[in-house]
Amino acid sequence: MASTSGQKPIGVALLGGGRIGSVHLKSLSSSRNYELLYTVDVDEARACEMASSVQGCKGIGSVDVALADDRVEAIVVCTPTATHKPIILKACEAKKHVFCEKPVSMQWQAIVECFDAAEKAGIKLYCGYQRRADNSFRKLKETVAAGSVGTVHVIKSTSRDHPTPSLHFLRISGGFYHDCASHDIDLCCWVAGEAPATVFALGSCFNPEIAELDDVDTALIALKFPSGVLATIDISRKAVYGYDQRLEVHGDAGMVQTENRPTTSCVISTAAGIAADNPYFSFPQRYEQAYATEIEHFYDYLRNDATPYCSRVDCIRVAQIADAAEHSARAGAPVDFAQFISQ
Ligand SMILES: NC(=O)c1ccc[n+]([C@@H]2O[C@H](COP(=O)([O-])OP(=O)(O)OC[C@H]3O[C@@H](n4cnc5c(N)ncnc54)[C@H](O)[C@@H]3O)[C@@H](O)[C@H]2O)c1
């Protein structure tokens, strides 16, 4: 079947059949713009299980077979963060475009290497910070850009995870600031339209198993931008009431907020009180629309040269700010961002 634009669908291989790989499997296999040719996982049985739901798709244990196949134009990387760079460099050699789950790497220098290699190879590398594709956040961003709330004074991002990821994932996650806070850091910079001048973070750990990993599960991050805009990020690995994701921008002419969405809009009012449903269970449910949209946006980027929602500069900057936040929290002092990244 032809794609939505009448062009050839993109032959694609999906790498990694874990939490986010399962989400992208749904988007890729239901889109007219892609032909999912391979699912790849080091756990080959998992790869085969994923492929079994898609006609013409083969489950394999190594990406090499997919990279050697001329029908494959692009790969979608959903493997653990530490594996991204070697996979991207292999894809560059094989001249395959890459959609990579966030973050491209925990080290910003490695992100630079990946984008440099992609540019040299003439392939496109896109990183999936899916919140930029979420309809509510996009409307908030457009509202701010249109001046409807006036001059922005404060951006407030609240992000509390549900359920807490497994210890197995947390061990290889890259740490709280790069894995979790990177989404909120990206959102704040996207809305502010600039990089911060100052980064100040405080971190705590309430979960003893996470503390053993020398990581934190709760943080407050403050950013001050050169324009004077202040941003606060209130972030936690644990919310017992569901996946809590809220964003607010306050300006001198008003305020714009995106609230949590409950699983139903039913509100029950009785003498005992008012009861509503909890927010969505977790990220696959809350960002279902955003994940599908970003996969279609990747098609548009490859076929129609659309401006990527998230650029090379955005990806590098997020990693640098995550580094600065971690450094600030450990040192207990604010970080001058320009000075920090020039060291
Ligand atoms: N955008 C988002 O909202 C979001 C959400 C979750 C995870 N992520 C990102 O996605 C990536 C994966 O996270 P996850 O939670 O899905 O992890 P996961 O542990 O649930 O799944 C990873 C899968 O990759 C497989 N794998 C490991 N190494 C491989 C390799 N070299 N080749 C092929 N398969 C390999 C594993 O067997 C596993 O099935 C991480 O970079 C994470 O930061 C993004």
Side-chain angles (χ1 to χ4, degrees):
M1 194 194 290
S3 71
T4 44
S5 58
Q7 293 165 292
K8 193 163 98 58
I10 292 172
V12 69
L14 170 65
L15 278 66
R19 295 185 307 163
I20 198 71
S22 310
V23 172
H24 291 314
L25 173 69
K26 222 163 99 183
S27 304
L28 290 167
S29 60
S30 60
S31 171
R32 280 175 60 185
N33 290 328
Y34 293 95
E35 185 182 2
L36 183 58
L37 297 165
Y38 296 98
T39 47
V40 188
D41 199 296
V42 282
D43 175 354
E44 203 169 339
R46 174 70 192 129
C48 292
E49 189 190 324
M50 289 170 82
S52 67
S53 62
V54 186
Q55 205 186 0
C57 179
K58 198 170 168 196
I60 54 176
S62 157
V63 70
D64 295 343
V65 176
L67 292 179
D69 188 331
D70 288 341
R71 297 173 305 156
V72 174
E73 273 186 72
I75 62 169
V76 173
V77 181
C78 301
T79 54
T81 302
T83 66
H84 293 176
K85 183 181 154 188
I87 291 172
I88 290 169
L89 296 183
K90 265 189 175 188
C92 290
E93 274 176 37
K95 309 272 186 220
K96 310 290 184 192
H97 301 294
V98 181
F99 175 106
C100 183
E101 257 311 328
K102 52 56 60 181
V104 169
S105 169
M106 276 95 80
Q107 286 87 32
W108 67 264
Q109 295 88 343
I111 303 179
V112 172
E113 275 180 64
C114 289
F115 276 97
D116 281 351
E119 272 165 34
K120 204 166 155 215
I123 60 116
K124 288 178 174 171
L125 169 59
Y126 181 79
C127 178
Y129 279 103
Q130 88 284 353
R131 291 192 202 175
R132 288 182 182 234
D134 177 75
N135 287 341
S136 298
F137 293 141
R138 289 193 78 73
K139 182 161 182 184
L140 177 144
K141 160 83 176 160
E142 282 160 19
T143 303
V144 171
S148 305
V149 299
T151 302
V152 175
H153 291 182
V154 171
I155 304 168
K156 238 169 105 177
S157 182
T158 304
S159 190
R160 302 190 183 123
D161 215 351
H162 177 266
T164 302
S166 68
L167 212 51
H168 167 76
F169 175 80
L170 291 171
R171 263 193 207 102
I172 56 165
S173 69
F176 193 51
Y177 296 95
H178 284 272
D179 175 47
C180 228
S182 59
H183 283 290
D184 302 83
I185 291 169
D186 181 52
L187 268 190
C188 290
C189 293
W190 181 53
V191 173
E194 53 187 340
T198 311
V199 179
F200 192 8
L202 294 168
S204 276
C205 199
F206 296 95
N207 180 326
E209 290 182 316
I210 296 178
E212 265 186 39
L213 305 176
D214 192 28
D215 202 353
V216 294
D217 58 17
T218 308
L220 298 175
I221 304 172
L223 307 173
K224 182 167 184 177
F225 291 92
S227 61
V229 171
L230 299 176
T232 66
I233 296 170
D234 164 349
I235 182 163
S236 164
R237 283 278 189 202
K238 182 178 179 180
V240 293
Y241 46 86
Y243 193 60
D244 186 2
Q245 306 278 291
R246 287 168 282 147
L247 185 62
E248 176 181 307
V249 179
H250 177 244
D252 63 1
M255 175 175 72
V256 52
Q257 295 167 293
T258 61
E259 292 294 344
N260 280 321
R261 263 180 280 150
T263 47
T264 78
S265 61
C266 183
V267 178
I268 305 164
S269 303
T270 68
I274 298 175
D277 280 328
N278 294 65
Y280 281 121
F281 181 76
S282 197
F283 61 85
Q285 296 79 26
R286 166 62 184 86
Y287 291 116
E288 187 178 12
Q289 167 269 314
Y291 292 125
T293 300
E294 68 173 355
I295 285 291
E296 294 307 324
H297 172 65
F298 182 56
Y299 172 88
D300 218 22
Y301 179 39
L302 297 192
R303 282 282 187 266
N304 307 320
D305 245 350
T307 303
Y309 285 164
C310 189
S311 70
R312 165 195 175 114
V313 171
D314 297 324
C315 296
I316 296 165
R317 185 175 61 190
V318 170
Q320 289 172 325
I321 298 170
D323 266 353
E326 184 161 6
H327 180 85
S328 167
R330 287 188 190 275
V335 165
D336 178 310
F337 185 59
Q339 202 177 44
F340 180 77
I341 58 174
S342 69
Q343 283 165 4

